Amino acid sequence: MSALVFSAELIIFVILKGRITELYQPRTYSLPEDQRHESPPTGFFSWIPAVLQTQDQVFLQKAGLDALLFLRCLRILSKMFAGLSLIVIPTLIPLAVVHGKNAQGGVQGLDRLSWPNIGPPSFYWAHLVMALLVATFVCRIIYTEMIEYIRIRQTYLASPQHRTQAFANAILVTDIPKRLLSVPMLSRLYSVFPGGVRAIWINRDLTQLSRKIIERKKMARALEAAEMKLIRLAIRSSHSRERRAESLKPRGKEPTVGHDDGSQIWQHYVDPSKRPCKRLPIIRGSWVPSIPFVGTKVDTIQHCWQELARLNDEIRADQQDFNKYPLLTSAFVQFNSQEAAYMACQSLVQCASWCLDSHFLEASPEDVK
């Protein structure tokens, strides 16, 4: 039964793999040309040798270090279970079937292949040898893989493609005291490392700016939803009119949507009273949501355009005048060499407790907000 289920799942996977490419092969077409993978063969099983023969360097360049190490983890597990199956099963199963308790000891069916069917104590040595062999085999594989992991990691970190990136030569320093919370003081403190300091950015509390950016994203999504609703209304009305009278359709034009109040094409198909509308909250700028039938009723598209224009101006002004935001007790320090960044991350810069105590190396740009 298990073999039938496995065969059915394998056949379904092979069929869907070639048809649903956005799920099973997204990296073959959705990435830039230099980062795309080659499409696997379209044969029923011809893709298996192509995947197994792909070099680790290809996975490292196309998918990154994390994906490569995950694939190597799966490869290790396959090697362990395949190797142990070839050693343990041919040894212990015949021993259990021939010299086990079997029917005389009340063991029947598949239980004859399990632990309850172990025979007399004189045959325990086989299980002891197999246990030692399994432990040695697993430890050997883990040891060799750890050595290979260290080699791959060091090669990747020292590669020109990685070490030339800004975050590879930068560290995040936290718990900075106020007396050192300035660019000159931090530059003097970290300039002792080889190559010196290239740049220092002291972090600021940008909570208000982040809230405006989040609000702008919400307005953009609301605008997109409202315009799509208007487009659907216009298309539905256009199709209805085409069925009644083809001559009423504007010549050479298709229903589109704009935010101006001029002669928009949607006006030929949708009554202005049917445009998407919304109620504004009673208390503007607070967490109180809008209440149905309460508050000012506004046109959703026009309101979103006005809010987006206002938020864009405010965000642009805040980004240009970022010095008005308060300083935090952390900073990014970028060095001229990767060696200096690693040395600074592993060095004790200050002897005082809770002072420059935490250093973080290679902070991902996606985590910096």
Side-chain angles (χ1 to χ4, degrees):
M1 186 63 184
S2 300
L4 293 177
V5 174
F6 172 75
S7 301
E9 292 178 350
L10 180 61
I11 293 174
I12 294 174
F13 166 74
V14 173
I15 295 175
L16 296 180
K17 179 183 68 68
R19 296 186 178 182
I20 310 178
T21 56
E22 61 272 12
L23 178 62
Y24 294 101
Q25 304 176 27
R27 302 182 69 90
T28 59
Y29 66 92
S30 61
L31 298 178
E33 291 288 345
D34 57 336
Q35 299 179 5
R36 292 182 183 178
H37 288 275
E38 295 183 0
S39 299
T42 57
F44 202 77
F45 292 111
S46 59
W47 57 273
I48 298 179
V51 173
L52 296 178
Q53 294 174 5
T54 304
Q55 300 296 328
D56 290 348
Q57 192 65 24
V58 177
F59 286 114
L60 184 62
Q61 295 176 356
K62 301 294 185 178
L65 183 62
D66 293 339
L68 173 61
L69 296 180
F70 177 72
L71 291 176
R72 290 190 65 90
C73 178
L74 297 179
R75 192 182 304 171
I76 291 173
L77 296 177
S78 301
K79 188 184 301 183
M80 286 183 181
F81 287 108
L84 295 178
S85 299
L86 296 176
I87 298 174
V88 177
I89 293 178
T91 304
L92 295 185
I93 288 183
L95 189 64
V97 172
V98 176
H99 300 283
K101 299 177 182 178
N102 297 325
Q104 293 81 5
V107 180
Q108 298 179 353
L110 293 178
D111 290 339
R112 297 175 62 190
L113 308 178
S114 61
W115 289 103
N117 198 33
I118 297 178
S122 59
F123 292 97
Y124 286 179
W125 63 269
H127 297 274
L128 174 61
V129 172
M130 287 294 105
L132 296 176
L133 190 60
V134 167
T136 305
F137 180 73
V138 172
C139 292
R140 177 63 180 177
I141 290 180
I142 294 176
Y143 174 75
T144 55
E145 186 62 24
M146 285 296 299
I147 296 177
E148 187 66 16
Y149 162 76
I150 295 174
R151 186 193 66 81
I152 293 175
R153 181 177 181 273
Q154 291 180 346
T155 303
Y156 175 77
L157 295 177
S159 62
Q161 294 83 0
H162 178 79
R163 64 185 305 168
T164 54
Q165 300 184 30
F167 68 89
N169 303 326
I171 62 173
L172 172 61
V173 186
T174 60
D175 303 322
I176 303 177
K178 292 184 178 180
R179 59 185 178 85
L180 298 178
L181 199 58
S182 63
V183 174
M185 294 297 296
L186 291 176
S187 179
R188 184 185 309 172
L189 184 64
Y190 287 98
S191 61
V192 297
F193 296 100
V197 176
R198 177 180 299 179
I200 295 177
W201 299 275
I202 300 179
N203 298 323
R204 296 179 178 271
D205 186 4
L206 304 177
T207 304
Q208 297 181 0
L209 180 59
S210 299
R211 290 175 180 174
K212 293 180 180 179
I213 294 176
I214 294 174
E215 185 180 358
R216 182 176 64 177
K217 292 181 179 179
K218 292 181 179 179
M219 284 295 170
R221 288 194 293 265
L223 175 62
E224 182 181 3
E227 291 193 342
M228 289 301 300
K229 181 178 180 181
L230 184 58
I231 289 174
R232 287 192 292 267
L233 289 174
I235 294 176
R236 191 180 300 115
S237 178
S238 172
H239 291 169
S240 177
R241 291 188 181 187
E242 285 179 357
R243 288 191 295 266
R244 293 197 305 265
E246 184 66 21
S247 60
L248 296 179
K249 182 179 178 181
R251 298 179 181 177
K253 294 183 179 181
E254 294 293 334
T256 57
V257 175
H259 61 278
D260 297 328
D261 292 332
S263 57
Q264 299 298 324
I265 298 177
W266 63 267
Q267 295 177 353
H268 296 281
Y269 304 98
V270 181
D271 188 85
S273 61
K274 296 183 179 180
R275 282 171 59 93
C277 298
K278 59 183 290 188
R279 297 274 183 178
L280 296 180
I282 301 177
I283 304 177
R284 298 291 301 275
S286 65
W287 58 270
V288 180
S290 59
I291 303 175
F293 308 107
V294 179
T296 306
K297 186 176 182 180
V298 297
D299 185 277
T300 303
I301 296 178
Q302 294 180 357
H303 174 73
C304 290
W305 274 108
Q306 294 172 1
E307 290 297 309
L308 283 176
R310 177 183 64 84
L311 291 172
N312 285 334
D313 294 337
E314 293 181 2
I315 291 173
R316 190 180 301 108
D318 292 343
Q319 290 175 341
Q320 293 176 355
D321 188 21
F322 63 91
N323 290 325
K324 66 180 182 180
Y325 293 103
L327 295 174
L328 298 176
T329 58
S330 62
F332 285 95
V333 181
Q334 184 182 8
F335 296 89
N336 290 313
S337 63
Q338 190 180 32
E339 293 79 4
Y342 276 81
M343 292 177 63
C345 190
Q346 300 175 6
S347 300
L348 180 62
V349 182
Q350 287 285 325
C351 296
S353 301
W354 306 105
C355 177
L356 297 173
D357 189 50
S358 301
H359 295 74
F360 301 93
L361 188 64
E362 295 195 13
S364 176
E366 290 77 11
D367 297 334
V368 180
K369 299 181 180 179

mmCIF file of all heavy atoms in Angstrom, residues 44-70:
data_model
loop_
_atom_site.group_PDB
_atom_site.id
_atom_site.type_symbol
_atom_site.label_atom_id
_atom_site.label_comp_id
_atom_site.label_asym_id
_atom_site.label_seq_id
_atom_site.Cartn_x
_atom_site.Cartn_y
_atom_site.Cartn_z
ATOM 1 N N PHE A 44 10.186 12.367 -18.312
ATOM 2 C CA PHE A 44 9.496 11.913 -17.114
ATOM 3 C C PHE A 44 10.466 11.742 -15.942
ATOM 4 O O PHE A 44 10.172 12.137 -14.818
ATOM 5 C CB PHE A 44 8.771 10.591 -17.405
ATOM 6 C CG PHE A 44 7.645 10.321 -16.458
ATOM 7 C CD1 PHE A 44 6.441 10.976 -16.580
ATOM 8 C CD2 PHE A 44 7.802 9.412 -15.419
ATOM 9 C CE1 PHE A 44 5.394 10.727 -15.694
ATOM 10 C CE2 PHE A 44 6.766 9.148 -14.539
ATOM 11 C CZ PHE A 44 5.560 9.815 -14.677
ATOM 12 N N PHE A 45 11.621 11.158 -16.184
ATOM 13 C CA PHE A 45 12.620 10.984 -15.141
ATOM 14 C C PHE A 45 13.979 11.558 -15.526
ATOM 15 O O PHE A 45 14.946 11.402 -14.774
ATOM 16 C CB PHE A 45 12.786 9.498 -14.804
ATOM 17 C CG PHE A 45 11.591 8.887 -14.137
ATOM 18 C CD1 PHE A 45 10.810 7.962 -14.792
ATOM 19 C CD2 PHE A 45 11.247 9.245 -12.854
ATOM 20 C CE1 PHE A 45 9.705 7.391 -14.178
ATOM 21 C CE2 PHE A 45 10.142 8.689 -12.221
ATOM 22 C CZ PHE A 45 9.373 7.764 -12.894
ATOM 23 N N SER A 46 14.081 12.210 -16.682
ATOM 24 C CA SER A 46 15.374 12.743 -17.114
ATOM 25 C C SER A 46 15.841 13.926 -16.276
ATOM 26 O O SER A 46 17.019 14.295 -16.328
ATOM 27 C CB SER A 46 15.291 13.153 -18.589
ATOM 28 O OG SER A 46 14.270 14.127 -18.772
ATOM 29 N N TRP A 47 14.942 14.539 -15.489
ATOM 30 C CA TRP A 47 15.333 15.673 -14.643
ATOM 31 C C TRP A 47 16.127 15.225 -13.422
ATOM 32 O O TRP A 47 16.849 16.033 -12.820
ATOM 33 C CB TRP A 47 14.091 16.434 -14.184
ATOM 34 C CG TRP A 47 13.108 15.591 -13.448
ATOM 35 C CD1 TRP A 47 12.110 14.837 -13.967
ATOM 36 C CD2 TRP A 47 13.039 15.418 -12.020
ATOM 37 N NE1 TRP A 47 11.407 14.198 -12.973
ATOM 38 C CE2 TRP A 47 11.957 14.537 -11.763
ATOM 39 C CE3 TRP A 47 13.770 15.906 -10.948
ATOM 40 C CZ2 TRP A 47 11.601 14.147 -10.478
ATOM 41 C CZ3 TRP A 47 13.419 15.522 -9.672
ATOM 42 C CH2 TRP A 47 12.357 14.661 -9.441
ATOM 43 N N ILE A 48 15.991 13.957 -13.043
ATOM 44 C CA ILE A 48 16.694 13.492 -11.834
ATOM 45 C C ILE A 48 18.213 13.492 -12.026
ATOM 46 O O ILE A 48 18.948 14.047 -11.200
ATOM 47 C CB ILE A 48 16.172 12.106 -11.425
ATOM 48 C CG1 ILE A 48 14.682 12.182 -11.084
ATOM 49 C CG2 ILE A 48 16.970 11.558 -10.245
ATOM 50 C CD1 ILE A 48 14.070 10.857 -10.683
ATOM 51 N N PRO A 49 18.772 12.896 -13.116
ATOM 52 C CA PRO A 49 20.227 12.986 -13.296
ATOM 53 C C PRO A 49 20.717 14.409 -13.450
ATOM 54 O O PRO A 49 21.822 14.744 -12.978
ATOM 55 C CB PRO A 49 20.467 12.162 -14.575
ATOM 56 C CG PRO A 49 19.288 11.268 -14.696
ATOM 57 C CD PRO A 49 18.140 12.036 -14.144
ATOM 58 N N ALA A 50 19.921 15.283 -14.098
ATOM 59 C CA ALA A 50 20.351 16.672 -14.275
ATOM 60 C C ALA A 50 20.489 17.386 -12.931
ATOM 61 O O ALA A 50 21.426 18.163 -12.710
ATOM 62 C CB ALA A 50 19.362 17.410 -15.173
ATOM 63 N N VAL A 51 19.566 17.112 -12.006
ATOM 64 C CA VAL A 51 19.641 17.730 -10.686
ATOM 65 C C VAL A 51 20.803 17.167 -9.884
ATOM 66 O O VAL A 51 21.540 17.907 -9.212
ATOM 67 C CB VAL A 51 18.305 17.527 -9.939
ATOM 68 C CG1 VAL A 51 18.414 18.015 -8.498
ATOM 69 C CG2 VAL A 51 17.179 18.255 -10.651
ATOM 70 N N LEU A 52 20.999 15.856 -9.942
ATOM 71 C CA LEU A 52 22.085 15.237 -9.169
ATOM 72 C C LEU A 52 23.455 15.632 -9.684
ATOM 73 O O LEU A 52 24.426 15.660 -8.913
ATOM 74 C CB LEU A 52 21.925 13.713 -9.194
ATOM 75 C CG LEU A 52 20.659 13.154 -8.532
ATOM 76 C CD1 LEU A 52 20.615 11.644 -8.672
ATOM 77 C CD2 LEU A 52 20.574 13.564 -7.070
ATOM 78 N N GLN A 53 23.590 15.941 -10.966
ATOM 79 C CA GLN A 53 24.876 16.285 -11.555
ATOM 80 C C GLN A 53 25.199 17.774 -11.458
ATOM 81 O O GLN A 53 26.283 18.188 -11.855
ATOM 82 C CB GLN A 53 24.898 15.854 -13.018
ATOM 83 C CG GLN A 53 24.849 14.345 -13.219
ATOM 84 C CD GLN A 53 24.735 13.944 -14.666
ATOM 85 O OE1 GLN A 53 24.774 14.790 -15.559
ATOM 86 N NE2 GLN A 53 24.567 12.647 -14.920
ATOM 87 N N THR A 54 24.284 18.576 -10.945
ATOM 88 C CA THR A 54 24.546 20.008 -10.807
ATOM 89 C C THR A 54 25.604 20.253 -9.741
ATOM 90 O O THR A 54 25.520 19.725 -8.624
ATOM 91 C CB THR A 54 23.250 20.761 -10.445
ATOM 92 O OG1 THR A 54 22.250 20.483 -11.436
ATOM 93 C CG2 THR A 54 23.499 22.251 -10.393
ATOM 94 N N GLN A 55 26.600 21.044 -10.064
ATOM 95 C CA GLN A 55 27.704 21.308 -9.150
ATOM 96 C C GLN A 55 27.275 22.256 -8.028
ATOM 97 O O GLN A 55 26.356 23.063 -8.179
ATOM 98 C CB GLN A 55 28.888 21.910 -9.909
ATOM 99 C CG GLN A 55 29.436 21.007 -11.000
ATOM 100 C CD GLN A 55 30.032 19.718 -10.452
ATOM 101 O OE1 GLN A 55 30.586 19.703 -9.339
ATOM 102 N NE2 GLN A 55 29.931 18.650 -11.216
ATOM 103 N N ASP A 56 27.965 22.129 -6.879
ATOM 104 C CA ASP A 56 27.667 23.004 -5.750
ATOM 105 C C ASP A 56 27.916 24.466 -6.080
ATOM 106 O O ASP A 56 27.230 25.356 -5.572
ATOM 107 C CB ASP A 56 28.507 22.591 -4.534
ATOM 108 C CG ASP A 56 28.058 21.256 -3.964
ATOM 109 O OD1 ASP A 56 26.980 20.774 -4.360
ATOM 110 O OD2 ASP A 56 28.810 20.691 -3.134
ATOM 111 N N GLN A 57 28.893 24.733 -6.922
ATOM 112 C CA GLN A 57 29.208 26.114 -7.272
ATOM 113 C C GLN A 57 28.052 26.775 -8.004
ATOM 114 O O GLN A 57 27.806 27.976 -7.843
ATOM 115 C CB GLN A 57 30.481 26.153 -8.146
ATOM 116 C CG GLN A 57 31.062 27.540 -8.336
ATOM 117 C CD GLN A 57 31.575 28.134 -7.047
ATOM 118 O OE1 GLN A 57 31.909 27.413 -6.111
ATOM 119 N NE2 GLN A 57 31.635 29.451 -6.989
ATOM 120 N N VAL A 58 27.320 25.999 -8.788
ATOM 121 C CA VAL A 58 26.163 26.548 -9.505
ATOM 122 C C VAL A 58 25.073 26.936 -8.516
ATOM 123 O O VAL A 58 24.483 28.020 -8.606
ATOM 124 C CB VAL A 58 25.639 25.530 -10.531
ATOM 125 C CG1 VAL A 58 24.391 26.057 -11.221
ATOM 126 C CG2 VAL A 58 26.715 25.209 -11.542
ATOM 127 N N PHE A 59 24.794 26.070 -7.532
ATOM 128 C CA PHE A 59 23.807 26.403 -6.509
ATOM 129 C C PHE A 59 24.245 27.615 -5.700
ATOM 130 O O PHE A 59 23.427 28.464 -5.325
ATOM 131 C CB PHE A 59 23.591 25.214 -5.575
ATOM 132 C CG PHE A 59 22.803 24.094 -6.178
ATOM 133 C CD1 PHE A 59 23.385 22.867 -6.406
ATOM 134 C CD2 PHE A 59 21.475 24.266 -6.534
ATOM 135 C CE1 PHE A 59 22.665 21.823 -6.961
ATOM 136 C CE2 PHE A 59 20.746 23.232 -7.091
ATOM 137 C CZ PHE A 59 21.339 22.014 -7.310
ATOM 138 N N LEU A 60 25.551 27.715 -5.419
ATOM 139 C CA LEU A 60 26.056 28.835 -4.637
ATOM 140 C C LEU A 60 25.888 30.153 -5.373
ATOM 141 O O LEU A 60 25.515 31.173 -4.785
ATOM 142 C CB LEU A 60 27.527 28.595 -4.286
ATOM 143 C CG LEU A 60 28.200 29.641 -3.389
ATOM 144 C CD1 LEU A 60 27.505 29.699 -2.043
ATOM 145 C CD2 LEU A 60 29.675 29.316 -3.213
ATOM 146 N N GLN A 61 26.145 30.163 -6.666
ATOM 147 C CA GLN A 61 26.031 31.389 -7.451
ATOM 148 C C GLN A 61 24.584 31.774 -7.731
ATOM 149 O O GLN A 61 24.239 32.958 -7.739
ATOM 150 C CB GLN A 61 26.792 31.235 -8.777
ATOM 151 C CG GLN A 61 28.298 31.085 -8.608
ATOM 152 C CD GLN A 61 28.995 30.836 -9.923
ATOM 153 O OE1 GLN A 61 28.361 30.704 -10.973
ATOM 154 N NE2 GLN A 61 30.320 30.772 -9.887
ATOM 155 N N LYS A 62 23.737 30.777 -7.967
ATOM 156 C CA LYS A 62 22.366 31.069 -8.366
ATOM 157 C C LYS A 62 21.412 31.223 -7.192
ATOM 158 O O LYS A 62 20.523 32.082 -7.219
ATOM 159 C CB LYS A 62 21.847 29.949 -9.280
ATOM 160 C CG LYS A 62 22.656 29.747 -10.548
ATOM 161 C CD LYS A 62 22.558 30.934 -11.490
ATOM 162 C CE LYS A 62 23.281 30.662 -12.793
ATOM 163 N NZ LYS A 62 23.165 31.790 -13.739
ATOM 164 N N ALA A 63 21.581 30.388 -6.157
ATOM 165 C CA ALA A 63 20.615 30.357 -5.057
ATOM 166 C C ALA A 63 21.166 30.883 -3.744
ATOM 167 O O ALA A 63 20.380 31.182 -2.839
ATOM 168 C CB ALA A 63 20.087 28.933 -4.858
ATOM 169 N N GLY A 64 22.476 30.980 -3.587
ATOM 170 C CA GLY A 64 23.038 31.501 -2.350
ATOM 171 C C GLY A 64 23.540 30.404 -1.417
ATOM 172 O O GLY A 64 23.334 29.209 -1.644
ATOM 173 N N LEU A 65 24.192 30.832 -0.339
ATOM 174 C CA LEU A 65 24.829 29.907 0.596
ATOM 175 C C LEU A 65 23.796 29.111 1.391
ATOM 176 O O LEU A 65 23.970 27.916 1.619
ATOM 177 C CB LEU A 65 25.743 30.683 1.537
ATOM 178 C CG LEU A 65 26.542 29.863 2.550
ATOM 179 C CD1 LEU A 65 27.494 28.915 1.834
ATOM 180 C CD2 LEU A 65 27.323 30.784 3.493
ATOM 181 N N ASP A 66 22.716 29.753 1.823
ATOM 182 C CA ASP A 66 21.709 29.051 2.628
ATOM 183 C C ASP A 66 21.065 27.913 1.842
ATOM 184 O O ASP A 66 20.865 26.805 2.373
ATOM 185 C CB ASP A 66 20.636 30.031 3.101
ATOM 186 C CG ASP A 66 21.179 31.046 4.094
ATOM 187 O OD1 ASP A 66 22.220 30.757 4.703
ATOM 188 O OD2 ASP A 66 20.572 32.107 4.250
ATOM 189 N N ALA A 67 20.723 28.169 0.588
ATOM 190 C CA ALA A 67 20.101 27.119 -0.226
ATOM 191 C C ALA A 67 21.066 25.962 -0.460
ATOM 192 O O ALA A 67 20.672 24.792 -0.428
ATOM 193 C CB ALA A 67 19.640 27.695 -1.565
ATOM 194 N N LEU A 68 22.340 26.280 -0.685
ATOM 195 C CA LEU A 68 23.327 25.223 -0.898
ATOM 196 C C LEU A 68 23.470 24.350 0.338
ATOM 197 O O LEU A 68 23.487 23.109 0.246
ATOM 198 C CB LEU A 68 24.673 25.840 -1.279
ATOM 199 C CG LEU A 68 25.853 24.871 -1.362
ATOM 200 C CD1 LEU A 68 25.605 23.803 -2.409
ATOM 201 C CD2 LEU A 68 27.143 25.615 -1.639
ATOM 202 N N LEU A 69 23.565 24.947 1.511
ATOM 203 C CA LEU A 69 23.725 24.164 2.737
ATOM 204 C C LEU A 69 22.473 23.346 3.046
ATOM 205 O O LEU A 69 22.572 22.240 3.593
ATOM 206 C CB LEU A 69 24.048 25.093 3.906
ATOM 207 C CG LEU A 69 25.391 25.839 3.790
ATOM 208 C CD1 LEU A 69 25.607 26.733 4.991
ATOM 209 C CD2 LEU A 69 26.548 24.866 3.624
ATOM 210 N N PHE A 70 21.305 23.867 2.709
ATOM 211 C CA PHE A 70 20.082 23.081 2.902
ATOM 212 C C PHE A 70 20.081 21.854 1.992
ATOM 213 O O PHE A 70 19.716 20.746 2.420
ATOM 214 C CB PHE A 70 18.859 23.951 2.630
ATOM 215 C CG PHE A 70 17.562 23.204 2.727
ATOM 216 C CD1 PHE A 70 17.064 22.798 3.947
ATOM 217 C CD2 PHE A 70 16.847 22.896 1.581
ATOM 218 C CE1 PHE A 70 15.865 22.100 4.034
ATOM 219 C CE2 PHE A 70 15.646 22.210 1.650
ATOM 220 C CZ PHE A 70 15.158 21.808 2.886
#
